[in-house]
Amino acid sequence: IAPTGARVEGAAQGVARGAGAEPPRPRGERPGMAADGTPRMKIPLRDLKAEYQTVKGEVQEAVGKVLEGMTLYMGPNIRALEAEFAAYAGARHAVGASSGTDAILLALMALGVKAGDEVIVPSHTFIASVAPIVLLGGTPVFVDIDPGTYNLDPDLLPGLLTKRTKGILAVHLYGQPAEMDPILDFARRRGLWVVEDACQAVGAEYRGRRVGRLGDMGCFSFVYTKNLTGYGDAGIVTTDDSRLAGLLQMLCDHGRADKYRHEVFGLNARLGEIEAAILRVQMKHQEARTEARRRNARYLGELLRTAGFVAPVEMSHVRHVYHQYVIRSSRRDALAAHLGRLGVQTGIHYPIPCHLQTPCAPFTSGKGHLPHTERAAGEILSLPVYPELTQEQLEYMGEAVASFPRGGAG
């Protein structure tokens, strides 16, 4: 496992358990195979079934009420969720969307992104951060990352500025906020807007402020893989700007000012009433689940450090919500195979940077000009960190990683 860079400090020391109790020092089952040749444990990257069991009754009741009432178009749960999420994020407004991708697209539409406009965006992110720029005719200008946080490196912004630069899409990757103060300072002094891609960072904080209200707008995803989960696709946009909020309301609903009067061309990108009802249930548990993720991350970090490995880092002035728990190895594929044999499912977020994806070819000079991004893509590995993990599962994972042969590993 390789160090993950400077300008950050190690995650806080501590112990964790999915249910919240602080466990004793590790003494769990050793990784290995049972007598029948199967792993002693099987730990998925995410356990949605376990999560659902914790809210099953509440979710079924909420969905049942929606179906009994049948107010499906812009119903009461949508408006209630928008108000509740705005309060949670500390923003004046929140506007529901059909997905996190559409949330970004709507935000850029509201800002008037058009052909020829350049938007600075990291390449080390999911393609949904980049696609809306291109779909509106804009040009993504890819920026390299800080190798410690995996977020865009603000020191590189001056070298990317041109007369066509209109804004910055700051991604809070894996649940850790980007270094927003220098990003915002750079943008404000040059008249640029800043949109936060907070799709992986619900509840994350930067210097005591929730993400989503730091820039001009914040975009969130509630797809089932995220920390705050609906059971389909859903998203939301937050802002303190009343004009932008009103425009977003129209843009997500065919540009409607009322039922048959349209002020602008818009999308069918509304949040659904059933999804909103489910998300309102999930919101009640969000802080407890976030703290469980953070405790699990601290505990995994302790286990890895005890075994001589380097854990992910958390900047001292942020609240990292650990959408993904990402470690690194120069022998990543071998490590993933090793853990797979022991029943620990892993993921790679993301193996191919955006600037090396086929549709991005017109906007980049190809391989070699984003060295930290490209190196990370070949070394990163995500471990399970979801709230329902037990102490025994956490210990097993730590020992499974520690049992990986280190010879020649970085």
Side-chain angles (χ1 to χ4, degrees), residues 42-62:
K42 289 187 177 180
I43 305 174
L45 187 60
R46 180 76 180 268
D47 193 341
L48 290 172
K49 291 181 179 179
E51 179 185 281
Y52 176 58
Q53 292 305 312
T54 67
V55 293
K56 181 177 179 179
E58 294 175 86
V59 167
Q60 290 181 343
E61 180 181 3

Side-chain angles (χ1 to χ4, degrees), residues 5-234:
R7 289 208 280 167
V8 287
E9 63 184 41
Q13 296 289 328
V15 290
R17 190 181 191 279
E22 293 196 351
R25 294 292 300 167
R27 59 175 185 275
E29 186 176 15
R30 296 289 173 183
M33 298 295 179
D36 62 357
T38 61
R40 291 180 179 176
M41 284 191 183
K42 289 187 177 180
I43 305 174
L45 187 60
R46 180 76 180 268
D47 193 341
L48 290 172
K49 291 181 179 179
E51 179 185 281
Y52 176 58
Q53 292 305 312
T54 67
V55 293
K56 181 177 179 179
E58 294 175 86
V59 167
Q60 290 181 343
E61 180 181 3
V63 172
K65 288 181 178 179
V66 172
L67 296 179
E68 290 294 331
M70 281 296 172
T71 304
L72 302 179
Y73 171 75
M74 294 299 191
N77 282 288
I78 295 173
R79 296 311 183 205
L81 176 68
E82 289 174 336
E84 290 160 6
F85 193 85
Y88 178 77
R92 291 182 62 190
H93 307 281
V95 178
S98 51
S99 69
T101 305
D102 280 338
I104 297 171
L105 179 60
L106 289 165
L108 298 187
M109 289 174 69
L111 290 166
V113 172
K114 62 185 184 306
D117 290 349
E118 293 183 355
V119 179
I120 298 172
V121 61
S123 174
H124 186 57
T125 182
F126 185 55
I127 196 73
S129 303
V130 179
I133 301 169
V134 179
L135 291 172
L136 294 175
T139 299
V141 177
F142 293 110
V143 60
D144 210 353
I145 56 170
D146 178 322
T149 66
Y150 303 107
N151 286 320
L152 73 84
D153 186 344
D155 291 343
L156 302 176
L157 294 175
L160 302 174
L161 186 69
T162 75
K163 293 180 179 180
R164 295 180 296 277
T165 306
K166 300 300 181 182
I168 301 168
L169 190 65
V171 182
H172 305 313
L173 199 67
Y174 304 146
Q176 176 150 238
E179 191 64 89
M180 291 300 292
D181 278 353
I183 293 171
L184 291 168
D185 179 65
F186 176 85
R188 300 299 181 243
R189 286 188 287 111
R190 293 162 177 83
L192 307 177
W193 50 256
V194 176
V195 170
E196 299 171 71
D197 178 346
C199 288
Q200 299 184 6
V202 171
E205 297 176 6
Y206 180 82
R207 300 193 185 280
R209 300 176 67 198
R210 289 265 167 88
V211 300
R213 63 162 305 190
L214 303 172
D216 295 275
M217 284 181 277
C219 305
F220 296 85
S221 171
F222 305 134
V223 71
Y224 62 89
T225 60
K226 298 299 193 293
N227 290 20
L228 178 58
T229 59
Y231 297 138
D233 275 305

Side-chain angles (χ1 to χ4, degrees), residues 269-322:
R270 300 183 300 268
L271 175 64
E273 180 71 1
I274 290 176
E275 282 296 319
I278 294 169
L279 286 162
R280 293 186 68 202
V281 171
Q282 302 283 37
M283 282 280 292
K284 299 174 186 177
H285 304 274
Q286 183 59 22
E287 278 302 291
R289 287 171 171 169
T290 296
E291 284 305 307
R293 282 179 177 273
R294 287 174 53 77
R295 286 192 299 269
N296 289 349
R298 288 196 297 269
Y299 192 29
L300 276 175
E302 185 175 272
L303 293 173
L304 293 175
R305 283 187 290 270
T306 298
F309 294 89
V310 176
V313 292
E314 179 175 334
M315 294 190 293
S316 60
H317 52 282
V318 309
R319 183 198 195 204
H320 194 326
V321 296
Y322 291 97

